[in-house]
Amino acid sequence: MKKKLRLISIFLFVLLAAASLFAGCDSGRAVEEGKVPLDIYMQQGNQYSGVTEPNRVWLKIEEDTGVQTSFEGPTAEYHAQPLVGTMMDIARGRSEVDIIWMQPEQTGTGYSDWVKEGLFYNMDTLLAMNPGEYPYIEMLFQTDLYKSLSWEGAHTMVPWLTTNNIYGIYYRGDWLAKIGYYEKDEQGNPVLDEKGRLIPVAPKTISEFADVMQKFSDPSYNLNPGTKTYGMSPHQEPFAMNLLYHAFGVVEDFSLDENGNVVYSYMQDEYKTFLKWMNSMYKAGWIEPQFNTNSGVKDRDLFKKGTVGILITDVEQHVKWVLSEMPEAVYESSEVSQTIVMGAPLLGDGTNGSVEGLQGSSTRGSWWGGFSIAKTCEEPEAAMRYLNYLISPEGSKVNRYGVEGIHYTEDENGRIITNDEERGKRGDRCFSESIGKDGVRAYNGCYLIGFNQQGGVMDWSKFETEKRVIVSNDPAVLDYQFQDLIEDAAELNVPYYDALPETLIFDSATTLLVDKIKARAQEFYLPAVIQYSEADIDARWNEMIAACSDLGWAAAQQGILASAREFGYVQ
């Protein structure tokens, strides 16, 4: 998934809502004595449509929380969610749902308006009425990052917590070796692995990256015989370039300059400099010429086909989705130690307008939508208990790995050892699969129902000292087959942090201005890379800045600052 890419317009959401179908997984179980029934609306309800009986993980969560859960949701995949009309029906009580998952940013000001209407429980009030009952939700709303995840002065959502290891750079290792990017000794001789193979290395700096882009596009290297090759074919959304543009001094989203003024990444002069560099590579023929049509996973498909040798996209669980159809990544090569290599965010080295020493990758992965309790819920305390469990250390492990001692154990280093035999028993085949150590597919991955409720295991050990929660995933459980690459991507991650957190929610008026300004500024990306000359980039840039000013940029800056002051991010 591309967390911050708005793939479908709000208008389309509303149209789709009329055709939305629900797929419940409630098997008609009688409510057990002492259990509170909870109906949960999930973002991929189609994944639950075939579930008729709870598995042991599901039952363990119910036992530990005193609830009895059933799920429903639209049959469409998450890219088409949340359907605004459907959410309104649920929130206004026209559908009997207790807990609702949604992405507020994809509703415009809808979610804020629903909070104003009183359609969701104020969780601050529920915490005050039940002191000490939901400690992890209480701590979450005190963290430096999530305290500002508030609408209309109230916390009404427990966010889906994820790691900050979002994007990575994938390189074809066999291509790197062919163009001379492999480990060498001090004399320039190749360093070979234990099997006598070259060890490919990824470019580290902006200048090295440009060199690789040029050589990957050079037909004399014959990197994919019979196919015209290019350096990369990036996604059409500008966010996809975050591992490159931070080397130019571009911020992540909204931040503050040295004078305390609000700046926006795609309106910075540093971003214009970055676009000129991209434009030069496009004009040189190093970027696949139709990248402007790359929506969904088309950029990944071109990488799989060998049209391009570089892919910038999601990592973690996405590694297996990217590589599962690439035989080069599955079978060992006799020439190189790795046919796929993960690279770090590019380091600025003063070339092409980059800033020496700067690098970073997106941190926009700390949350992805979340769970609100509808006023139709008759026992909101039970809903809070359930959500509190999902972000607790013990509950998040159950929700991610299964029941300890049955579905997994931990070794002395805290690594997860899955029990594939137990996971494969009838009724418990509710875990994702990958190739195991014996070369056979096994149920050795994450718990699938839980996969759609939270994004990892929660570590609260840093709360008292740093006011934060750490979200982590065991690479071997994300995907046993590609765990080394997943771990490489995590180790190479260099998080970039703005002065203002991504979780800062603005008032409705500011949100409307921000959405318009973002849309106008982001329109500049594709024509700047593909169409404009360098002189045109300067002239059209000034036009774009003026248009954003006319849309209310000054008022938006003041509104953003007001929200930042409210939560103590600025004085």
Side-chain angles (χ1 to χ4, degrees), residues 6-79:
R6 182 169 295 194
L7 301 177
I8 300 177
S9 68
I10 299 302
F11 177 69
L12 181 57
F13 284 147
V14 176
L15 290 179
L16 288 171
S20 172
L21 297 175
F22 286 87
C25 73
D26 185 358
S27 61
R29 289 186 292 159
V31 179
E32 296 179 26
E33 185 177 353
K35 297 280 182 69
V36 176
L38 289 179
D39 191 30
I40 303 169
Y41 181 91
M42 295 294 293
Q43 52 94 13
Q44 281 178 295
N46 58 309
Q47 290 196 354
Y48 307 109
S49 59
V51 178
T52 57
E53 293 294 334
N55 50 65
R56 284 184 287 180
V57 185
W58 189 337
L59 293 172
K60 170 66 173 172
I61 294 173
E62 291 185 339
E63 176 187 345
D64 289 352
T65 58
V67 303
Q68 188 162 312
T69 51
S70 59
F71 299 92
E72 63 178 88
T75 56
E77 290 292 332
Y78 78 84
H79 286 301

Side-chain angles (χ1 to χ4, degrees), residues 36-239:
V36 176
L38 289 179
D39 191 30
I40 303 169
Y41 181 91
M42 295 294 293
Q43 52 94 13
Q44 281 178 295
N46 58 309
Q47 290 196 354
Y48 307 109
S49 59
V51 178
T52 57
E53 293 294 334
N55 50 65
R56 284 184 287 180
V57 185
W58 189 337
L59 293 172
K60 170 66 173 172
I61 294 173
E62 291 185 339
E63 176 187 345
D64 289 352
T65 58
V67 303
Q68 188 162 312
T69 51
S70 59
F71 299 92
E72 63 178 88
T75 56
E77 290 292 332
Y78 78 84
H79 286 301
Q81 307 312 318
L83 305 180
V84 174
T86 299
M87 291 300 179
M88 291 172 65
D89 285 344
I90 294 171
R92 294 195 168 117
R94 293 192 285 265
S95 178
E96 295 298 323
V97 172
D98 300 297
I99 297 174
I100 308 169
W101 181 91
M102 68 178 74
Q103 285 181 277
E105 65 176 19
Q106 292 188 338
T107 70
T109 61
Y111 185 80
S112 182
D113 293 339
W114 301 334
V115 172
K116 284 181 184 177
E117 291 182 46
L119 302 185
F120 309 121
Y121 278 96
N122 183 333
M123 293 180 176
D124 298 320
T125 301
L126 293 173
L127 289 171
M129 293 172 59
N130 302 274
E133 290 296 314
Y134 321 111
Y136 297 104
I137 295 178
E138 189 171 354
M139 288 192 292
L140 187 71
F141 295 159
Q142 295 175 40
T143 59
D144 289 337
L145 186 58
Y146 297 106
K147 65 183 180 182
S148 57
L149 203 61
S150 169
W151 288 264
E152 305 303 324
H155 289 105
T156 55
M157 175 176 287
V158 171
W160 177 329
L161 305 178
T162 61
T163 72
N164 64 14
N165 184 28
I166 308 173
Y167 266 39
I169 310 180
Y170 302 67
Y171 294 91
R172 284 288 296 261
D174 48 348
W175 290 21
L176 287 171
K178 287 180 181 179
I179 66 169
Y181 277 75
Y182 50 79
E183 284 195 23
K184 301 168 185 172
D185 62 21
E186 293 181 355
Q187 287 73 42
N189 300 313
V191 175
L192 304 180
D193 72 358
E194 68 279 0
K195 295 184 178 180
R197 301 173 299 183
L198 294 173
I199 304 171
V201 295
K204 296 178 176 60
T205 65
I206 287 295
S207 58
E208 289 178 353
F209 185 83
D211 182 55
V212 169
M213 288 283 289
Q214 178 184 15
K215 291 175 178 174
F216 276 6
S217 309
D218 186 340
S220 66
Y221 286 101
N222 198 27
L223 296 172
N224 187 359
T227 301
K228 172 68 180 83
T229 61
Y230 302 89
M232 65 175 175
S233 183
H235 199 277
Q236 65 177 249
E237 297 283 350
F239 175 78

